[in-house]
Amino acid sequence: MASKKSVSDAVIKRLPRYFRYLSDLLEFGINRISSMELSKRMGITASQIRQDLNCFGGFGQQGYGYNVESLFREISTILGLDNKYQTVIIGAGHMGQALANYSNFEKRGYSLAGIFDNSPDVIGMKINGVTVADIETLEAFVKTHKVDIAMICVPYGHTRSVAEKAARCGIKGLWNFSPMDLKLNYDVIIENVHLSDSLMVLGYKLNEHISGNLPGNRQ
Amino acid sequence: MASKKSVSDAVIKRLPRYFRYLSDLLEFGINRISSMELSKRMGITASQIRQDLNCFGGFGQQGYGYNVESLFREISTILGLDNKYQTVIIGAGHMGQALANYSNFEKRGYSLAGIFDNSPDVIGMKINGVTVADIETLEAFVKTHKVDIAMICVPYGHTRSVAEKAARCGIKGLWNFSPMDLKLNYDVIIENVHLSDSLMVLGYKLNEHISGNLPGNRQ
DNA sequence: TAGATTGTTAATCGATTAACAATC
DNA sequence: TAGATTGTTAATCGATTAACAATC
């Protein structure tokens, strides 16, 4: 219950990056790294790395640096990757199907428990071993399966109502793929993925680049 | 050639949000809005809106506010949505197929010119009207089609080499879906989409939430 | 021990917010 | 004109970077 002071969003968003770089280091068989060396690889300052990590604990050792394996485990724990999450996909269109086939998530502890849709065209279809069920059966499903996260891949117009349905069922995490900033009057955590926003940013930078004002990211 | 002072990344990333909210306002038939009113809708300060917009020009009118339609057009122009972009998808797996079927992009001026893969299993297949071609034919294709953006949806291990191939062909924008921070020694703009990072952030916040320290985003 | 590198405090920088004169 | 709201400058806040004493 001791409420530790909350960590800033900027730091939280960097955690998966640390996770990835440490994972790579492990693969390379490197078992010790200094903040200085890691900073060179990641393209951020050593200071920032030490500050970030010290939000969660003193994982290093003076004069030595960080043990890659133990730091990797710490970051994994912080990110909650030791936990198992049950997920469902709502919307079995192209994006839903792509997510259902994404094996990376399973590897990180996010396992796919169900897929739901409202269209008879896809209900009953099997995607990556999971049969698409009628969205009307979601509530009953959640009652028996303890679902943590709903990945929402329905068309724009259905997003809010589907998200509310999921929240009402007691699902606590929503991963929203519609181009809207989903906010609900429920006690849920929402993470928005805005692919079209990302593409527009790319387009903007491309224009800036072509119009000759700004450099690309040659390094 | 007059190099205007460059706009911060934080502002650039908000542009697509403005675009979306203005687009909604248009749909609602609202044709005038003050920074105050828009700030309430978007959940940011009116000050920030005025500061952001004034990076690009004085689009408002004292005593009146902003004309929604003209502001929408300005933002569209800033984002380069008046331009037509030719895109190719590299990697015709599930994610590549999902992107190929995303009609939103077409609507915003990003048109799909080709899909490439290295697997005989998918080469020749038709996705949303576009036939998957052999990746070996990419260079010849780019020579005749002026491709602006490559959407890279190949497995992790192939990402760097495929990205380099695209850059060598002269493609200036890369949209990378692999969980790595792609950096190349080419003069290209790279935008990384890290779905697994986003999911991990959701997982982190879910944990924080459950362990009782932090509020969800009830509003 | 001497050298290296952390954890942490202090300084700097940039982004956000507040305030208000300009002006429609 | 009076009222409203912008554009813009100044103040504040938070995040990043630098510095260094602690310590392995």
Side-chain angles (χ1 to χ4, degrees):
Chain A
M1 213 80 354
S3 117
K4 14 184 158 166
K5 78 173 71 64
S6 95
V7 176
S8 85
D9 234 62
V11 174
I12 294 169
K13 285 220 212 81
R14 279 194 293 270
L15 290 174
R17 277 194 85 215
Y18 290 122
F19 176 83
R20 282 191 275 112
Y21 279 85
L22 289 165
S23 167
D24 286 349
L25 287 172
L26 272 184
E27 292 250 313
F28 299 153
I30 296 169
N31 50 31
R32 168 190 158 179
I33 195 153
S34 67
S35 57
M36 178 63 178
E37 173 61 22
L38 187 57
S39 84
K40 278 189 215 141
R41 288 176 185 262
M42 295 184 66
I44 57 180
T45 64
S47 241
Q48 182 162 71
I49 292 173
R50 295 203 298 276
Q51 286 276 23
D52 283 356
L53 297 179
N54 279 95
C55 291
F56 303 98
F59 303 135
Q61 196 165 82
Q62 283 98 330
Y64 172 88
Y66 299 86
N67 177 280
V68 174
E69 192 174 333
S70 82
L71 183 55
F72 176 75
R73 284 220 208 88
E74 293 285 0
I75 300 280
S76 300
T77 302
I78 292 163
L79 280 168
L81 300 178
D82 302 333
N83 304 350
K84 292 295 166 216
Y85 299 92
Q86 295 293 313
T87 71
V88 294
I89 290 170
I90 305 182
H94 296 288
M95 181 55 69
Q97 294 191 30
L99 293 181
N101 284 289
Y102 227 70
S103 54
N104 264 1
F105 302 154
E106 195 81 40
K107 230 172 14 199
R108 301 294 174 223
Y110 296 85
S111 79
L112 180 61
I115 308 179
F116 298 85
D117 203 296
N118 66 353
S119 160
D121 293 349
V122 293
I123 293 172
M125 198 174 131
K126 224 172 187 175
I127 303 173
N128 200 17
V130 180
T131 304
V132 179
D134 191 320
I135 181 71
E136 295 303 328
T137 67
L138 177 67
E139 193 171 353
F141 185 89
V142 172
K143 279 195 178 125
T144 55
H145 284 76
K146 193 194 93 57
V147 175
D148 304 291
I149 293 171
M151 305 178 174
I152 299 176
C153 308
V154 300
Y156 188 88
H158 293 164
T159 302
R160 181 169 307 277
S161 71
V162 156
E164 279 175 355
K165 186 194 276 270
R168 258 197 318 274
C169 290
I171 298 176
K172 286 278 174 273
L174 302 182
W175 204 25
N176 169 41
F177 280 77
S178 277
M180 67 169 61
D181 301 323
L182 187 58
K183 300 256 174 79
L184 299 179
N185 281 315
Y186 289 89
D187 186 32
V188 287
I189 306 285
I190 298 171
E191 191 71 16
N192 294 301
V193 175
H194 292 322
L195 294 185
S196 51
D197 283 25
S198 167
L199 184 55
M200 286 189 226
V201 167
L202 177 58
Y204 172 87
K205 290 183 178 170
L206 218 40
N207 277 332
E208 282 305 289
H209 183 56
I210 288 164
S211 66
N213 295 330
L214 289 167
N217 47 9
R218 175 197 288 275
Q219 37 151 200
Chain B
M1 213 84 348
S3 118
K4 11 184 162 168
K5 78 174 70 66
S6 97
V7 176
S8 86
D9 234 62
V11 174
I12 294 170
K13 286 219 210 84
R14 278 192 294 269
L15 290 175
R17 278 194 86 215
Y18 289 122
F19 176 82
R20 281 189 276 112
Y21 278 86
L22 288 165
S23 166
D24 287 349
L25 287 172
L26 273 183
E27 293 249 314
F28 299 153
I30 295 170
N31 49 32
R32 168 190 158 178
I33 195 153
S34 67
S35 58
M36 178 63 179
E37 174 61 23
L38 187 56
S39 84
K40 278 188 217 139
R41 289 175 183 262
M42 295 184 66
I44 59 182
T45 64
S47 241
Q48 182 162 72
I49 292 173
R50 296 203 299 276
Q51 287 276 21
D52 283 356
L53 297 179
N54 279 95
C55 292
F56 303 99
F59 302 135
Q61 195 164 83
Q62 283 97 331
Y64 172 87
Y66 299 86
N67 177 281
V68 175
E69 191 173 335
S70 82
L71 184 55
F72 176 76
R73 285 220 208 89
E74 293 285 1
I75 301 279
S76 299
T77 302
I78 291 163
L79 280 169
L81 300 179
D82 301 333
N83 305 349
K84 291 295 164 213
Y85 299 92
Q86 295 293 312
T87 71
V88 295
I89 291 170
I90 306 182
H94 296 289
M95 181 55 71
Q97 294 190 30
L99 293 181
N101 284 289
Y102 227 69
S103 55
N104 264 0
F105 301 156
E106 197 81 38
K107 234 178 0 208
R108 301 294 175 221
Y110 297 86
S111 78
L112 180 62
I115 307 177
F116 297 86
D117 203 296
N118 67 353
S119 160
D121 293 349
V122 291
I123 293 173
M125 198 173 134
K126 224 171 187 173
I127 303 173
N128 200 15
V130 179
T131 305
V132 179
D134 191 321
I135 180 72
E136 295 302 329
T137 67
L138 176 67
E139 193 171 352
F141 185 88
V142 172
K143 277 193 181 129
T144 55
H145 283 76
K146 193 193 97 50
V147 175
D148 304 292
I149 293 172
M151 305 177 172
I152 300 176
C153 309
V154 300
Y156 189 87
H158 293 166
T159 302
R160 182 169 306 279
S161 72
V162 156
E164 279 176 354
K165 186 194 276 268
R168 260 198 315 275
C169 290
I171 298 176
K172 287 278 175 273
L174 302 181
W175 204 25
N176 170 41
F177 280 77
S178 277
M180 66 168 63
D181 301 322
L182 188 57
K183 299 257 174 82
L184 299 179
N185 281 314
Y186 288 88
D187 185 32
V188 287
I189 306 286
I190 298 171
E191 192 71 16
N192 295 300
V193 175
H194 293 321
L195 294 184
S196 50
D197 284 24
S198 167
L199 183 56
M200 287 188 226
V201 167
L202 177 58
Y204 172 87
K205 290 181 177 171
L206 218 40
N207 277 332
E208 283 304 290
H209 182 55
I210 289 165
S211 66
N213 295 329
L214 289 167
N217 46 10
R218 177 196 289 270
Q219 40 155 193

